[in-house]
Amino acid sequence: MTTPVVSIAYHSGYGHTAVLAEAVRDGAADAGATVHLIKVDGITDAEWELLDASDAIVFGSPTYMGTASGAFHQFAEATSKRWFTDAWLDKLAAGFTNSGSKSGDKGHTLQFFQTLAGQHGMTWVNLGLKPGWNSSEASENDLNRLGFFSGAGAQTHTDQGPEGVHKADVATAEHLGRRVATTARTFAAGRAAA
C-alpha cells in the first residue's frame, strides 16, 4: 500500500495557526502519511512542486475580518497557474482556521477554502465529527468544541500567544490530519483497484 502525501499550506500571523498546522501534521503522520508543512507567505518553487505532488492539501489561515488572511488570499490567487493546467484536479482538500472569538466568522474562511478547492476540482474532506460542548453534560474540552462541520475551527484569546491555543482545538486539528491521511489512503486504494 502506498504512503499518502499530505501537504499543509498555511499562513499564521501570530503563531496560533502554526500550532494548528503542526497538529494537523502530527495527526496525518500518526495515520501513516508523509507530511509537508508549507508557509504560503514565503512559498518556494520547490514547495509548489511538493503541493503538485501531494495526494491531499490542507489549507490553513487565521480568520481576519471575516475571511482568510491577506497572505493566504495572495497564495490562493497564485494557485491560478495550477488551475489552468488542472494540476490539483482530483486531489483531496481540507481546511482549518483560528480566530479570537468563538464564532469570529470562521465558517466563511472554511467556505473560502472549500470554494478554492472546488475551483481546482478537488474533493473536500470534512471534519467528520459531531459538535462537542453543546449540552449541559458536555465540556469545552470536547473535540470540535466550537461545532464546525466543514473543517477544524479554533479559538484563541487575542491577548495570548501560541501557547494559548486551546488543547481541545489542537486535538481537533490532529483529528482532521488523521482523517485526511486515512481518506487519502482509501482514495489511493480505490484508484489502484480501478
Side-chain angles (χ1 to χ4, degrees):
M1 183 175 289
T2 61
T3 301
V5 178
V6 176
S7 287
I8 302 158
Y10 75 99
H11 172 248
S12 186
Y14 299 97
H16 307 108
T17 309
V19 170
L20 297 172
E22 291 163 4
V24 173
R25 175 200 61 202
D26 293 348
D30 183 55
T34 298
V35 189
H36 305 289
L37 278 177
I38 298 171
K39 295 179 182 179
V40 300
D41 52 338
I43 191 167
T44 65
D45 288 342
E47 289 171 325
W48 279 112
E49 290 173 14
L50 286 174
L51 292 174
D52 295 344
S54 297
D55 298 299
I57 302 172
V58 184
F59 302 126
S61 169
T63 294
Y64 293 156
M65 304 307 293
T67 188
S69 66
F72 193 91
H73 275 268
Q74 285 184 318
F75 161 77
E77 288 181 25
T79 70
S80 64
K81 292 179 181 175
R82 271 73 194 155
W83 179 83
F84 280 110
T85 63
D86 287 331
W88 294 358
L89 184 67
D90 295 330
K91 292 185 185 299
L92 299 179
F96 61 95
T97 187
N98 180 81
S99 71
S101 301
K102 294 280 192 280
S103 170
D105 292 322
K106 287 185 278 286
H108 185 262
T109 300
L110 293 171
Q111 288 174 346
F112 171 72
F113 294 157
Q114 287 176 302
T115 300
L116 176 63
Q119 288 179 339
H120 282 284
M122 302 169 84
T123 299
W124 188 259
V125 179
N126 61 47
L127 189 56
L129 286 175
K130 298 277 193 294
W133 199 22
N134 67 349
S135 73
S136 60
E137 296 182 10
S139 162
E140 72 171 308
N141 297 310
D142 292 343
L143 286 180
N144 197 19
R145 71 186 181 107
L146 299 178
F148 287 91
F149 292 94
S150 55
Q155 179 270 332
T156 308
H157 297 308
T158 58
D159 59 352
Q160 291 183 309
E163 75 287 347
V165 177
H166 200 286
K167 299 303 181 208
D169 296 342
V170 170
T172 300
E174 288 172 351
H175 168 85
L176 179 65
R178 282 190 296 276
R179 182 165 167 83
V180 168
T182 301
T183 304
R185 181 175 288 106
T186 301
F187 267 61
R191 282 191 191 103

